[in-house]
Amino acid sequence: MKIVISIILMMSIQSCQFQNQPKLDFSKIKIELDSIMVLDQKHRNELNYLYKEYGYESDEFQRILSKQQRFDSLNLIYVEDLIEKYGKYPGKSILGHSTGEVAFYVLQHAPDTIQAKYINIILDASEANELNKGPVAMYHDRYLINKGEPQIYGTQIGTKEVRDSISGKLKIINFSYPIKDT
């Protein structure tokens, strides 16, 4: 099944080479992006469960993380190619509200260097009303946290293991990353 999905995704990526085409086929792109969204979210809930149950270093977590990272890599190839061919963020005016957020999710799950590369495109999409402000605030905060700077909107929380002072057991707690101006 993994191989079939990978082949289908790679065929979609190859078929979406827009060179020599005067106009992009956004109806086809919408279908492909909707499929990418499914892959983007495929293992994320399971990863949250495995992290809480077994921890980040567990074999179970790492095995599923590896699967999700393969999807993320393939999705990123498609989205970067689409942005390059389209010349800007492919937002809701051409793809509709939910599909117009797919590229955001893919970029948000990309490595820090990729997030930094697209921060201005994401901010421009927000200004042009191509992307809702909530996801943009989340992306912007994540970008700042990754740079070691305080976030603006307070959207980024982290988790860490701490030892309970009474029971002595390890537990996972959530915390807010620093906010520039609360």
Side-chain angles (χ1 to χ4, degrees):
M1 183 68 175
K2 293 186 296 185
I3 294 172
V4 172
I5 291 172
S6 295
I7 291 170
I8 290 170
L9 186 57
M10 290 309 296
M11 288 172 54
S12 294
I13 290 169
Q14 290 174 351
S15 71
C16 217
Q17 300 302 313
F18 305 116
Q19 298 169 5
N20 304 324
Q21 290 186 354
K23 187 174 179 187
L24 299 176
D25 181 356
F26 287 109
S27 61
K28 180 179 177 184
I29 291 168
K30 182 175 179 6
I31 292 167
E32 291 169 343
L33 283 171
D34 288 341
S35 296
I36 282 174
M37 187 63 186
V38 171
L39 295 176
D40 181 80
Q41 297 297 308
K42 181 137 177 88
H43 297 295
R44 297 208 191 278
N45 285 336
E46 186 177 5
L47 285 169
N48 287 335
Y49 167 77
L50 291 172
Y51 173 74
K52 288 175 185 171
E53 191 69 23
Y54 302 108
Y56 180 78
E57 299 297 326
S58 70
D59 290 340
E60 296 89 345
F61 182 90
Q62 291 299 317
R63 183 175 50 80
I64 299 303
L65 178 63
S66 178
K67 288 180 180 183
Q68 186 61 56
Q69 287 172 332
R70 279 180 281 192
F71 288 139
D72 291 350
S73 295
L74 293 171
N75 292 347
L76 182 59
I77 291 168
Y78 181 92
V79 166
E80 284 193 297
D81 187 56
L82 176 60
I83 290 172
E84 181 181 323
K85 302 297 187 220
Y86 185 51
K88 59 184 178 178
Y89 183 87
K92 60 185 175 182
S93 69
I94 57 169
L95 297 168
H97 172 71
S98 61
T99 305
E101 289 190 348
V102 173
F104 156 78
Y105 284 107
V106 172
L107 294 173
Q108 177 190 251
H109 296 137
D112 299 353
T113 55
I114 300 297
Q115 290 178 17
K117 179 179 175 181
Y118 291 101
I119 184 68
N120 290 329
I121 287 175
I122 293 293
L123 294 174
D124 290 346
S126 176
E127 287 300 314
N129 289 319
E130 290 295 328
L131 188 57
N132 289 337
K133 306 287 189 236
V136 173
M138 188 166 41
Y139 192 98
H140 198 183
D141 277 353
R142 183 173 287 187
Y143 166 76
L144 292 169
I145 294 299
N146 289 338
K147 285 180 51 177
E149 297 178 17
Q151 59 183 321
I152 296 170
Y153 305 102
T155 64
Q156 298 300 294
I157 60 167
T159 58
K160 63 182 175 181
E161 286 185 341
V162 295
R163 192 159 305 278
D164 185 280
S165 61
I166 297 172
S167 69
K169 293 183 180 179
L170 283 177
K171 63 180 182 177
I172 297 173
I173 63 164
N174 296 321
F175 64 92
S176 177
Y177 285 100
I179 301 171
K180 186 174 185 175
D181 182 1
T182 56

